[in-house]
Amino acid sequence: QVQLVESGGGLVQPGGSLRLSCAASGIIFRLSSMDWYRQAPGNERELVAHITPSGSTNYADSVKGRFINSRDAAKKTVYLQMNSLKPEDTAVYYCNCEGTWGQGTQVTVSS
């Protein structure tokens, strides 16, 4: 059974940084692509970042140059380093692998 557990969210001031983690179990991690999505109140869930098994990454235009997606095969964990955060980055962030969702972690960017 696939299980994804996100952590690392919180309250941060504009311009600050956070690092989200997504720990995976029940998958062959080294063969799996992983996605980060986010959903703000009243908005649809949107794809933020994608990472392939080899570590190639893609980003939404809104976060390109500010967010860095990475993975650690030994820990079966993917990370989303979020820098230069803006109020519009406020959302619940979710990890997704092959259709399975984590529980989400809240990120709030506010002064």
Side-chain angles (χ1 to χ4, degrees):
Q1 181 179 354
V2 180
Q3 187 173 14
L4 303 172
V5 180
E6 300 100 332
S7 61
L11 172 64
V12 64
Q13 293 187 343
S17 298
L18 283 174
R19 189 178 79 156
L20 306 183
S21 300
C22 172
S25 60
I27 62 171
I28 303 176
F29 184 83
R30 62 182 175 84
L31 299 180
S32 301
S33 293
M34 306 286 287
D35 296 317
W36 286 99
Y37 285 76
R38 67 185 180 187
Q39 187 168 21
N43 290 359
E44 293 186 357
R45 197 169 293 190
E46 62 172 346
L47 179 64
V48 174
H50 172 81
I51 188 165
T52 68
S54 66
S56 297
T57 54
N58 294 101
Y59 300 94
D61 287 343
S62 57
V63 307
K64 206 171 289 184
R66 299 188 297 121
F67 290 11
I68 301 171
N69 198 8
S70 62
R71 60 192 296 152
D72 184 328
K75 296 182 178 180
K76 295 186 179 181
T77 299
V78 292
Y79 302 98
L80 188 67
Q81 177 67 43
M82 305 187 296
N83 302 318
S84 302
L85 282 161
K86 305 175 181 180
E88 51 263 44
D89 294 317
T90 295
V92 179
Y93 284 71
Y94 298 91
C95 186
N96 179 280
C97 178
E98 299 172 356
T100 297
W101 295 94
Q103 83 285 356
T105 185
Q106 176 71 47
V107 172
T108 303
V109 185
S110 175
S111 55

